[in-house]
């Protein structure tokens, strides 16, 4: 019997071995695992004997993913040195008594699981667990000894806030869920785990607050997650394209954030969040376009300044979208809109500029985008040099050389600054792309062109939805109560209801009249 | 199943009636009545409410939305024939509103640009909107109406600060001839007749009884808008000068001057007006496509948008050879066509439905089996 | 399905670039600040004042070369003359910046109906530009004068008209829109300020001098300074600012100057037995500003006298104005409109003959003046040798 098994195992390929159950012969297991983990130089096989009868044991882990001290102190040391202190009835040994004893009384690790296939073993060691196999038992013990070098919890670089919490997610999923759990201390806060990616076996969690998030929405997201069959998931943003309703569009239908407080705020409004192990970004859905103007900070600040800032951001959004095209339209078509004195100034500065206004604007815009992109990618040490080159060469020398006019530089610079005001980075990208469309249209038909592009953009946006939520809500379909929380920041004392989501049953955010179910 | 909210229907109806009237109707009222043009605007409430009552009554007595109700009330053959006529009328009005807009742009903003470019671009926008479907277009209408209405009222408000002379409105309530008064009211009423679209839209709101209040709201918004811009025009320009200009509203916009710096807002005004015209002509295109698909028993209406846009383009170009011919269409032909198709035929339906009992099921959801499935 | 029309858009956009619609890049344009229209040998002579684009900070130098140039062209029609400018000018003129339109007196006396028709039809001419009559000189000459401080004569004329109305209170500026409004409406006629060239201290300057009275679009006569000021009192509405010289109630040889805070005029027409009476009520407030004599005027009892004297002076100027207007048969005060407002049916009968009836209209003038403040001193200065 044993012989056949052994022979069979050695014949199997590593692929077939994955689903093979653990054999009760430790040698077989070792050879099988070694075959599976062939060329995995970071796998550590520690074979040892313990107990009065000289039981053979194997400790297996990936170096670097585990806390080696914990393995030594709490697994190997007790087994080798302290086994004698545990009273084992010799008669029961073969019926699994020893195994149970080890599991229950010897291995001093908090999280212990029993495994039965080689595949499970491989998965667990990949996640940072330590495997203990004992000769004579067709099960293995997995001890949670995960510990690896990570980035500590830092302030996110891309979402800087003045008010409110400053922690950000890091690359370890467990820390991230912990950050959320610390904020929502409710048993209704669910963190459902999925494993996605045929090769990467990435942990993915779906977070929502039961009772607030519409059940239909949660089911739909789950179904869409389960439908994904891809070799690897490396970042949460990769999931976005698998999940969203409309794929061929520049309009982002989910929100990306690194801030746990922002995720928590969204979860409390009934949305769902998805986080992926190895990625500090959470994605939140469903999201509508006006949401991109909102900064989490608004809700921690006094509502009057927060509303003013929000309006400022609204203005900045339009500036960053339309300013260059408006300028081009005005100076090529609608001269009469410029006051006479300003006309004369612009005319004077444009004397001798060889390009038409449109080409001038495109050149400067592209240069600005280049600088911006270069600023992101360049090593830190070179960064300041690039900004100096950008400021001096583009700003000053180009004007002096008569290649561009000064007002155009001012316009492009103002547009650039305004584009950084948008709190959501992916909304900023929409503006950066659409701006060129507006520019081209305005150079051909002036304001009329701008309006036609605006109509096209509006048509597209009106036809989009994010998991069933119309993309322009609450502007369209109009909802007066929520619109007030988009244009201005509604004060907390009057913010009684959650934003509308299809299928949501629990709208009451604040109980002032004493009605409604509490969550 | 297409679902619309009450506000969406309100926006669509307003977009259907107001944009052309905003620029046009005030002028014709001033032409006829001089400084008392606003009286005709206000007087339009009476025929307006009458029309609204007729439409509301037809809606209550019908099971199916507009082109299908023709069949329901007039019998299959007559229904199809009249439906066909309606589809021609919708086609005509799509081209007409586009042509009106283009002539306006050509005379005032970009005189040298080929007319086909505007036509092509606007039709492209309309086609795209039709292809995305009525539900999505309703959402667009909301944004357009919120934007456009606030801008239109801002214009009216600002023009009250441009050296207006309230004495221009005097003599108060002096009507020189009743004939011109009734002609002005008829002109204005014919714009309100475009509310006929409710016969189609009312069947998609949660409760079709609400159609009455929606129409009343549209009527009053319309009256407020048109009368305020008419009053502003008379006050700023004076009735006799306003009579001189082709588009007095536009002249008023040009006179607006904010803090001596923001002047000559006409380009922005035109920009926003484009959106209004786009909305209005797209709705006509929708109605055309839906009516045509009804006439020919087609299972889908959206694909009709692109081929029909060619016909519309040709019709818009060939409709009138110059602005004076177009003026004849505006003053004499369009109101009569509107009167026949949007008033007399609904009136006929009204009398036919007079004796009929109320339909048992009020919501089209319950009669889903008989209902064309493509309306989503 | 949806992406196909979007793809169609790309060739359309690119074809638009090829068509190259009316792109008027700012480099190829020239701003016309002012136009002057006159008649020469049966043809229309048009002078246009074009701004030279200047680099910021260079303008305003007193002795430097003027910042503008004046081009003149004649043609059989106004538009022909305007288009003929481009026989010499290598840029596209932008007419939208025109803020003054100068018309020669000679042409105005003939009739400027054709001019008003053209400018009201033309979308490029703004209806809020000022209309001025060139008095005893040609518009071309006015446009060539380099005004003090202001780089452009066109702007200078507008500023002079505005500022004199506030501080001096003689002439009322008129925009093209106002002119169209008044010329097209029955029962009210336009009154346009006049400008003339003067030589002061060897320097050529222009000066506002009198107003031109129109009957419809035809000029029929002038108002001098006092009549123009009288018009300002008569025309209904509220006006702010302006001064008036009044003989001192103590010693009529001496004068005192009073500044108006505001002047509110209300007018109403009444028809009694076929006789039209216009009741004009002027309520004004003012401050004491100056006296040429040394008598102590500012005592409690004399304030009433000052007010009386001022009222009489205002009334005198108003009567001068009315007499001149009635002589010219030009109803610049809008009394016909007043009749129409209150008696529309009566007006319908007499509207045709209004220029004949207007001279017979009897005004009833009631003037109230209130002296409010005396600025920093509350007594007349008394010198003690």
């Amino acid at each position: 019997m044993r012989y056949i098994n052994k022979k069979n195992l050695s014949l199997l390929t590593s692929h077939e071995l994955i689903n093979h159950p653990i054999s009760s012969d430790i040698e077989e297991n070792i050879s099988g695992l070694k075959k599976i983990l062939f060329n995995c130089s970071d796998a550590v096989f520690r074979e040892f004997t313990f107990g009065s009868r000289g039981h053979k044991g194997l400790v297996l882990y990936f170096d670097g993913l585990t806390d080696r001290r914990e393995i030594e102190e709490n697994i190997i040391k007790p087994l080798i040195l302290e086994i004698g202190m545990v009273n084992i009835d010799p008669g029961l040994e073969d019926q699994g008594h020893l195994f149970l004893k080890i599991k229950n009384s010897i291995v001093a690790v908090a999280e212990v699981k029993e495994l039965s296939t080689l595949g499970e073993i491989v998965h667990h060691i990949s996640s940072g667990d330590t495997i203990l196999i004992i000769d004579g038992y067709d099960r293995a013990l997995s001890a949670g000894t995960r510990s690896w070098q990570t980035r500590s919890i830092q302030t996110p670089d891309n979402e800087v806030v003045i008010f409110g919490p400053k922690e950000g997610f890091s690359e370890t999923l467990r820390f991230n869920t912990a950050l959320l759990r610390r904020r929502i201390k409710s048993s209704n806060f669910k963190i459902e785990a999925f494993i996605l990616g045929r090769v990467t076996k990435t942990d993915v969690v779906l977070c929502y607050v039961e009772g607030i998030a519409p059940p239909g929405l949660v089911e739909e997201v789950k179904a869409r997650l389960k439908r994904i069959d891809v070799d690897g998931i490396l970042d949460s943003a990769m999931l976005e394209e698998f999940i969203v309703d409309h794929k061929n569009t520049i309009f982002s239908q989910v929100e990306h954030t690194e801030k746990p407080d922002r995720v928590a705020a969204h979860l409390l409004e009934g949305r769902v969040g998805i986080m992926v192990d190895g990625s500090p970004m959470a994605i939140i859905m469903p999201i509508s376009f006006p949401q991109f103007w909102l900064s989490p900070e608004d809700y921690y600040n006094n509502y009057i300044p927060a509303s003013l800032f929000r309006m400022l951001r609204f203005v900045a959004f339009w500036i960053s979208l339309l300013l260059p095209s408006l300028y081009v339209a005005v100076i090529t078509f609608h001269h009469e809109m410029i006051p006479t004195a300003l006309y004369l100034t612009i005319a004077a500065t444009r004397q001798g500029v060889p390009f038409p206004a449109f080409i001038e604007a495109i050149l400067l815009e592209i240069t600005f985008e280049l600088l911006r992109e270069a600023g992101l990618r360049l090593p830190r040490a070179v960064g300041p040099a690039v900004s100096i080159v950008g400021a001096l060469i583009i700003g000053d020398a180009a004007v002096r050389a008569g290649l561009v006019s000064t007002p155009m530089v001012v316009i492009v610079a103002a547009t650039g600054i305004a584009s950084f005001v948008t709190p959501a980075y992916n909304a900023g990208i929409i503006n950066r792309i659409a701006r060129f469309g507006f520019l081209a249209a305005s150079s051909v038909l002036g304001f009329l062109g701008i309006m036609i592009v605006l109509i096209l953009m509006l048509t597209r946006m009106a036809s989009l939805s994010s998991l069933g939520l119309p993309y322009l809500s609450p502007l369209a379909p109009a909802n007066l109560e929520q619109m007030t929380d988009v244009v201005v920041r509604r004060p907390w004392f009057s913010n009684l209801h959650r934003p509308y989501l299809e299928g949501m049953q629990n709208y009451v955010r604040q109980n002032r009249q004493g009605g409604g179910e509490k969550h | 199943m297409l679902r619309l909210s009450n506000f969406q229907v309100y926006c669509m109806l307003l977009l259907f009636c107001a944009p052309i009237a905003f620029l046009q109707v005030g002028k014709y009222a001033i032409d006829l009545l001089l400084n008392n043009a606003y009286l005709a605007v206000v007087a339009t409430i009476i025929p307006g409410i009458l029309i609204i009552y007729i439409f509301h009554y037809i809606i209550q007595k019908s099971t199916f939305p507009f082109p299908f109700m023709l069949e329901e009330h007039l019998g299959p053959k007559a229904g199809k024939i009249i439906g066909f006529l309606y589809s021609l009328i919708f086609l005509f009005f799509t081209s007409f509103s586009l042509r009106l807009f283009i002539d306006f742009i050509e005379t005032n903003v970009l005189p040298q640009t080929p007319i086909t470019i505007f036509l092509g671009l606007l039709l492209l926008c309309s086609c795209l909107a039709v292809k995305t479907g009525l539900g999505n277009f309703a959402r667009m209408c909301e944004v357009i109406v919120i934007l456009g209405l606030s801008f239109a009222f801002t214009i009216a408000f600002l023009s009250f600060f441009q050296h207006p002379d309230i004495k221009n409105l005097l003599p108060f309530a002096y009507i020189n001839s009743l004939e011109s008064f009734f002609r002005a009211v008829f002109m204005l009423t014919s714009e309100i007749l475009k509310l006929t679209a409710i016969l189609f839209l009312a069947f998609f709101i949660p409760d079709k009884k609400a159609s009455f209040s929606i129409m009343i709201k549209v009527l009053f918004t319309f009256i407020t808008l048109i009368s305020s811009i008419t009053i502003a025009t008379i006050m700023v320009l004076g009735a006799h000068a306003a009579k001189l200009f082709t588009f007095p509203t536009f002249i008023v916009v040009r006179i607006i001057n904010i803090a001596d710096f923001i002047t000559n807002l006409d380009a922005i005004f035109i920009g926003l007006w484009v959106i209004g015209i786009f909305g209005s002509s797209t709705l006509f295109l929708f109605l055309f496509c839906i009516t045509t698909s009804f006439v020919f028993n087609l299972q889908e209406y959206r694909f009709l948008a692109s081929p029909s846009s060619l016909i519309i383009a040709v019709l818009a170009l060939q409709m009138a050879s110059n602005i004076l011919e177009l003026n004849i269409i505006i003053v004499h032909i369009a109101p009569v066509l509107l009167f026949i198709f949007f008033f007399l035929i609904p009136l006929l339906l009204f009398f036919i439905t007079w004796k009929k009992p109320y339909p048992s099921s009020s919501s089209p959801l319950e009669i889903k089996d008989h209902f064309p499935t493509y309306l989503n | 399905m949806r992406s196909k029309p979007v793809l169609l858009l790309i060739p359309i956009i690119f074809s638009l670039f090829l068509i190259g619609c009316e792109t008027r890049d700012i480099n190829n344009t020239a701003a016309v600040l002012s136009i002057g229209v006159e008649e020469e040998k049966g043809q229309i002579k048009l002078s246009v004042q074009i701004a030279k684009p200047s680099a910021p900070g260079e303008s305003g130098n007193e002795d430097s070369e003027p910042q503008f140039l004046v081009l003149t062209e004649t043609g059989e029609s106004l538009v022909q003359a305007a288009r003929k400018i481009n026989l010499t000018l290598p840029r596209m003129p932008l007419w939208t910046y025109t803020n003054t339109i100068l018309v020669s007196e000679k042409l105005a006396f003939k009739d400027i109906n054709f001019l008003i028709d053209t400018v009201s039809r033309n979308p490029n001419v703004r209806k809020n530009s000022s209309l001025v009559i060139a008095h005893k000189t040609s518009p071309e000459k006015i446009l060539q004068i380099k005004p003090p401080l202001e780089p452009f004569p066109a702007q200078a004329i507008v500023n002079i008209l505005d500022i004199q109305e506030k501080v001096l209170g003689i002439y009322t500026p008129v925009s093209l829109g106002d002119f169209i409004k008044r010329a097209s409406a029955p029962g009210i006629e336009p009154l346009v300020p006049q400008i003339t060239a003067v030589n002061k201290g060897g320097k050529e300057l222009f000066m506002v001098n009198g107003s031109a009275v129109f009957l419809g679009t035809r000029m029929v006569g002038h108002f001098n300074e006092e009549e123009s000021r009288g018009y300002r009192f008569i025309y209904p509405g509220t006006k702010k600012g302006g001064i008036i010289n009044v003989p001192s109630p103590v010693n009529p040889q001496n004068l005192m100057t009073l500044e108006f805070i505001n002047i509110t005029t209300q007018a109403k027409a009444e028809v009694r037995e076929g006789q039209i009476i216009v009741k004009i009520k002027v309520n004004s407030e003012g401050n004491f500003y100056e006296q040429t004599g040394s008598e102590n005027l500012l005592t409690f009892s004399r304030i009433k006298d000052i007010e009386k004297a001022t009222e009489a002076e205002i009334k005198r100027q108003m009567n001068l104005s009315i007499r001149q207007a009635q002589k010219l048969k030009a109803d610049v005060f809008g009394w016909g409109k007043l009749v129409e407002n209150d008696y529309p049916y009566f007006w319908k009968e007499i509207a045709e003959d209004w220029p004949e009836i207007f001279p017979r209209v009897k005004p009833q003038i009631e003037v109230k003046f209130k002296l409010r403040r005396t600025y920093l001193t509350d007594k007349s200065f008394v010198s003690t040798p």
Side-chain angles (χ1 to χ4, degrees), chain B residues 107 111-113 117 121 124 128 131-132 167-168 170-171 174 176 236-238 240-241 244-245 254-255 264 266, chain C residues 1-2 5 9 12 16 19 21-22 120 123 126-128 180-181 184-186 236 337 340-341 344-345 348:
Chain B
T107 44
Q112 306 289 310
T113 315
I117 288 178
L121 283 174
L124 184 90
L128 280 173
K131 287 207 183 242
T132 61
K167 294 214 175 66
N168 284 338
L170 295 173
Y174 164 70
N176 45 8
V236 174
L237 294 177
H240 290 275
L244 186 71
F245 296 115
R254 286 167 76 120
I255 287 176
N264 307 335
D266 37 339
Chain C
M1 185 81 182
R2 194 171 294 140
L9 193 66
I12 290 179
L16 288 177
I19 294 163
C21 315
E22 202 204 0
S120 53
R126 319 303 305 193
K127 306 295 172 277
N128 43 10
I180 295 171
K181 194 156 94 181
S184 63
K337 192 86 183 56
E340 189 192 0
N341 289 352
Y345 297 96
K348 218 173 165 185

Side-chain angles (χ1 to χ4, degrees), chain C residues 180-192:
Chain C
I180 295 171
K181 194 156 94 181
R182 284 166 158 240
S184 63
I188 188 163
E189 307 301 337
L191 184 76
V192 183

Side-chain angles (χ1 to χ4, degrees), chain B residues 18 33 90 149 174 181 208 282 315 366:
Chain B
L33 286 177
F90 291 138
L149 209 56
Y174 164 70
F181 178 76
K208 69 180 180 179
T282 307
L315 192 59
E366 294 160 30

Side-chain angles (χ1 to χ4, degrees), chain C residues 15 32 34 80 87 95 103 105 118 126 142 145 150 161 188 199 244 304-305 352 357 376:
Chain C
S15 63
V32 175
S34 178
Q80 194 200 22
L87 291 175
W95 303 95
V103 181
E105 207 174 26
T118 310
R126 319 303 305 193
I142 301 263
I145 293 170
E150 191 67 41
L161 282 170
I188 188 163
N199 197 327
I244 191 164
K304 278 273 165 296
D305 298 335
E352 296 277 297
I357 297 167
L376 300 184

Side-chain angles (χ1 to χ4, degrees), chain A residues 252-298:
Chain A
S252 180
Q253 294 147 66
V254 301
E255 187 173 316
H256 303 250
T257 184
E258 283 183 72
K259 289 175 64 61
D261 57 313
R262 197 166 185 173
V263 177
H266 280 300
L267 295 183
L268 289 176
E269 293 188 341
R271 302 193 183 87
V272 301
I274 294 176
M275 287 191 289
V276 172
D277 192 25
S279 161
M281 298 292 251
I283 60 175
I284 294 156
M285 66 200 74
I287 214 86
S288 65
F289 188 70
Q291 294 271 345
F292 290 131
W293 296 327
L294 316 187
S295 166
E297 228 184 335
D298 293 349

Side-chain angles (χ1 to χ4, degrees), chain A residues 418-483:
Chain A
S419 71
F420 289 114
V421 174
T422 315
Y425 186 75
N426 42 2
I429 293 173
I430 299 171
N431 276 8
R432 279 165 72 181
I433 298 168
R435 194 185 298 153
F436 287 94
F438 281 107
L439 207 50
S442 76
S443 72
V444 178
L445 285 174
F447 274 124
L448 217 59
I450 294 177
M451 282 302 157
I452 283 169
V453 176
L454 210 58
I455 291 173
L456 290 174
M457 195 169 140
L458 201 62
T459 315
R460 187 67 182 124
M461 278 162 83
S463 68
L464 290 179
S465 62
S466 171
L467 286 150
L469 180 74
Y471 198 50
L472 283 174
S473 70
L475 298 177
N479 183 326
L480 198 65
E481 191 190 346
Q482 287 165 46
M483 233 191 282

Side-chain angles (χ1 to χ4, degrees), chain C residues 182 187-189 235-236 331-339 354 358:
Chain C
R182 284 166 158 240
I188 188 163
E189 307 301 337
Y235 189 65
D331 179 10
V332 288
F333 313 116
W335 288 353
K337 192 86 183 56
L338 295 178
V339 177
W354 181 245
F358 170 67

